[in-house]
Amino acid sequence: MIYRKDVDGLRTIAVVPVVLFHAGLPGFAGGYAGVDVFFVISGFLITTLLLEDLQRDRFSIWRFYERRARRIIPALTLVVAASTFMAALTLPPPRLEEYGASMIATAFFGANVYFWRTTDYFATSAEERPLLHMWSLAVEEQFYIVFPLVLLALWRWRKNGSDATLWSIFIGLAVLSFALAVFSAGWKPVANFYLPVTRAWELLAGSLVALATKGKPPTKTPYAPWLAGLGLIFVIGALIGLNDATPWPGPWTMLPVAGTALILAFARADCLTGFILSWRPMVWIGLLSYSIYLWHQPLLAFARITTSGQPPLWLMVSLAVATVPLAWLSWYFVEQPFRTRPSAGGFSRRAIFTASAASLTAMTAIGIVPIGAPQLTETLYTASLSDEARERYTVLQKANNAGLIQNPDISADRPCRHKFSMVTPAAKEMLLRCTDNGQRAVIVTGGSHAGDLYGALAVASEVEVMIGFTRGYCRPHRSLGSPPPHECPYDGVQNLMAAHPDRVALVVYTQAGFTVFDDYRSVRGAEGLHLDLVEEVGDYLETLAAHVPVLALGPRPILGIDPRHLSVTEPFEPQIARAQDPGISEAMSAVDRAFAETFAARGVPYLSHADAIDTILPEEAIIEDMLTYRDTDHWSLHGNRIFGIRLISALHAKGYEALFPFK
């Protein structure tokens, strides 16, 4: 295979935006698309190498995996070892357990599956996952496991040495994978992002270019420079023009994928695109790109973990820059020695496989420790703390444990209280059964904040028949970002209310205020408020109000910091105070006014959070030495009790005392 400097330059175009995107630098909102550029490059290079081996009748699956092990395992081992050392120093036991699970998944090249089940890539919490970026490595490795064997089978089955079979199969699989990605973007967005079946078309795009070029430089034609330049425009346009609200992968993913394919197929050293990508600094960064990619996420994640509140931008950009010297050290002292062939004094195949197996086994064994022996890790952790820090850790654990309790009042003696995620046949049966004696039910609906509201009403009142239809990420307006990863209950609630209005005393609705802002949980200030989304909520509640009484409760304040991530080495109060931003209050006041005006125009009663509960932050983030929030915007069980009592008092003042008797 002929070495192409422009391919290393293209790696620079891919890796730099990814790092700056994760660092939070403005202007790189689409930097995550750099991973897609990597996928196409990987498909191109791997297919080119395999085709050369097949053409020369020297294909060996063991040699292929040896090359992959030399390329991937040494630097990966170093970065995971450094990350694990930092994790042991900084992470409390519950988060260390999460880290251990992600390390095991990394060792088995299944990190994409693990994070699919646990983490939305674009969620704020994902920024503090040191090994989150291993998902893309897992996708590539899963491709490497299957693709060589498929290619070998197709190579042997092709007729008369023709490549037609390869072309037809590659194109067919790519089209199917792309179609699935487009469909899944709105159906299962998290799975769509992480799983290889919806990413295969990107790698296959590189494979198709490899099949066309067969390891030779791009052909010099009059249109080649223009197509290569168009490809570069596509890639750069995606990296700076997209944002995390773009369904991904999806139709827009064609920009970086097609752009990369055009560059690989047509860029030559004697055209402008090839000249730019072959510029020495671009090539140098590209050579380090794998190690840069490995180092950047742990550095940025641990900065966020160890900083109270959001780390300053200068720090994040400085760490992004620091990945370059770290990557050079990895490349020079780790990558290069292991990539040296035995004939040049390097390690033998047996040594490479043995070392790789030992490394992955060690990752697995170390990752098991915090999972299999949580009491040991907790004992070691608390023993290292001062008495004051140990007390603060206990407070945090109470909040963590409270956050795991979904229905604190559900028991055998409360058969007519239950929270459902959807309107199921069991929910309908419960409504009818529990209201047969003439009682009427209180229905609570909304997203995850409504789940908190259900808990607050449950622990503070003696409502006999109360049914919740609440589900996270759900609200009755269009989503500004990725659509919910599951169905939502609103159509079912509407149909149920229309069918049985005589069985319902009141529907109580609430939602997070930040969902109608461009910046979501990062909202600071009233800019970016979408009044059309507020109108959509008003339309939905007006529809419900045509059948049953409805009460809307205004959005609650945002804490500004996840209390589970507070440092136990200093008092909580100043940490929470530092995280408070006047812009958060400004944003919540703006959406509160918008909800009040919109609902009033539709005749839907509205109770502002300021009038109902009036949470004062940061002071009331801790009450009676216990946290009232379990993350940035959800109440803990203690918060449910505290704020539930206030809410019941406010409901009594509004004339709902008969529906919500105090406990």
Side-chain angles (χ1 to χ4, degrees), residues 143 279 339 365 468 592:
F143 180 79
W279 186 38
R339 294 177 71 178
D592 185 50

Side-chain angles (χ1 to χ4, degrees), residues 409-483:
D409 70 315
I410 297 301
S411 60
D413 61 341
R414 291 291 182 128
C416 291
R417 285 187 180 187
H418 195 73
K419 185 170 65 174
F420 299 88
S421 60
M422 297 293 292
V423 180
T424 62
K428 296 176 183 178
E429 186 277 331
M430 177 180 167
L431 173 65
L432 298 177
R433 170 173 49 81
C434 292
T435 56
D436 267 345
N437 58 0
Q439 286 186 311
R440 293 193 298 167
V442 171
I443 306 295
V444 180
T445 192
S448 59
H449 284 208
D452 288 353
L453 174 61
Y454 175 93
L457 293 173
V459 300
S461 75
E462 286 288 355
V463 180
E464 286 294 330
V465 184
M466 185 164 65
I467 304 174
F469 296 110
T470 71
R471 201 167 196 187
Y473 298 99
C474 286
R475 65 275 313 186
H477 61 70
R478 68 180 176 86
S479 179
L480 293 175
S482 299

Side-chain angles (χ1 to χ4, degrees), residues 531 534-539 593-604:
L531 292 176
V534 177
E535 295 285 342
E536 288 180 26
V537 179
D539 292 342
R593 290 192 297 272
F595 277 140
E597 293 171 3
T598 300
F599 297 161
R602 288 165 169 76
V604 176

